[in-house]
């Protein structure tokens, strides 16, 4: 279908342009009261700790250390806000399931992220990162159930696909697809990525561009 192809090509181009624009770190949020004004659409990246979240954000934005690993000491309970070209806020949620985090830390994380995910009006979509070697884990399913309840759309992004063979990627894709089939807030397309090989980044950028404010300069 040529129309679909040209629409897709346009979105990919829009994504490429968006991520070539300036991105700035804005602030780290540790309490709901200090969230920035809800003046731009927002997307957020969530996932288990070590899923490859900071690598993916850095690859998307072509920066080496814009996002830092969620298991960096002291960074386990902050929501990090980035401003992409005054058209979108990107929120890096703290990684969950980090075994070595103290219990009180986990409790604070859970409360903050739940409050955020439930009540943040400009939030357009959660990109839920899943390690392609492991597939969906119990902690992912818990977040998904909560998002289904509060009707916030989430899209699964498989990470590190360079680490497994293509038939295995296919298998984890199919399993994940089956797991979201009946979930009301799940976005149906799953994106497979590798930050190391830069695979799938154009598709992810295209999705994100479709959620940002339009580019007035184009
Ligand atoms: P975070 O805790 O989710 O922010 O995870 P990181 O981005 O720090 O990544 C965790 C580990 O996985 C690091 O050792 C990364 O080098 C590695 N990693 C991240 N993305 C990829 C990828 O696409 N391919 C491979 N092979 N390794 C990756």
């Amino acid at each position: 279908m040529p129309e679909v192809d040209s629409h897709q090509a346009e979105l990919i181009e829009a994504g490429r342009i968006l991520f070539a624009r300036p991105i700035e770190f804005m602030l780290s949020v540790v309490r709901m009261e200090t969230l920035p004004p809800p003046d731009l659409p927002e997307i957020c990246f969530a996932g288990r700790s070590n899923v490859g979240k900071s690598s993916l954000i850095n690859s998307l934005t072509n920066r080496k250390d814009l996002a830092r690993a969620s298991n960096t000491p002291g960074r386990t309970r902050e929501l990090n806000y980035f401003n992409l070209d005054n058209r979108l806020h990107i929120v890096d949620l703290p990684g969950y399931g980090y075994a070595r985090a103290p219990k009180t830390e986990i409790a604070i994380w859970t409360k903050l992220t739940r409050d955020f995910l439930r009540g943040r009006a400009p939030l357009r979509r959660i990109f839920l990162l899943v390690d392609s070697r492991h597939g969906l884990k119990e902690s992912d399913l818990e977040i998904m159930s909560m998002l289904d309840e509060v009707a916030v759309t989430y899209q699964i992004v498989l990470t590190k696909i360079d680490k497994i063979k293509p038939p295995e990627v296919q298998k984890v894709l199919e399993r994940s697809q089956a797991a979201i089939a009946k979930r009301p807030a799940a976005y149906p397309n799953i994106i497979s990525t590798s930050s190391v090989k830069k695979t799938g980044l154009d598709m992810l950028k295209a999705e994100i561009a479709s959620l940002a404010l339009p580019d007035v300069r184009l």
Side-chain angles (χ1 to χ4, degrees), residues 84-193:
L84 179 51
D85 198 33
N86 290 321
R87 292 175 49 204
L88 185 77
H89 285 158
I90 296 181
V91 189
D92 181 11
L93 289 192
Y96 47 85
Y98 181 48
R100 278 195 287 152
K103 276 212 173 69
T104 47
E105 191 103 330
I106 294 171
I108 293 169
W109 178 90
T110 307
K111 168 111 182 63
L112 179 65
T113 47
R114 275 180 185 254
D115 289 351
F116 175 77
L117 293 173
R118 283 168 186 273
R120 184 67 178 165
L123 201 48
R124 293 286 176 274
R125 195 177 299 171
I126 317 297
F127 290 90
L128 187 68
L129 275 44
V130 174
D131 192 320
S132 58
R133 295 169 302 173
H134 309 312
L136 287 161
K137 296 280 192 188
E138 193 52 43
S139 47
D140 301 313
L141 298 173
E142 279 169 21
I143 298 271
M144 289 160 65
S145 297
M146 187 193 76
L147 294 171
D148 284 326
E149 254 170 54
V150 295
V152 174
T153 309
Y154 53 91
Q155 180 167 14
I156 293 180
V157 176
L158 297 178
T159 61
K160 309 187 194 180
I161 61 162
D162 60 288
K163 288 213 176 206
I164 57 175
K165 297 201 170 73
E168 292 171 50
V169 175
Q170 191 55 32
K171 266 190 220 152
V172 70
L173 255 177
E174 283 165 15
R175 276 203 305 273
S176 311
Q177 208 76 59
I180 61 168
K182 293 207 169 69
R183 288 185 172 266
Y187 190 82
N189 294 345
I190 296 177
I191 303 178
S192 306
T193 66

Side-chain angles (χ1 to χ4, degrees), residues 48-56 68-71 133 159-163 193-197:
R48 289 164 54 80
S49 134
N50 220 37
V51 72
K53 189 156 54 64
S54 36
S55 303
L56 189 65
R68 278 180 279 167
S70 48
N71 48 9
R133 295 169 302 173
T159 61
K160 309 187 194 180
I161 61 162
D162 60 288
K163 288 213 176 206
T193 66
S194 159
S195 300
V196 168
K197 303 271 187 208

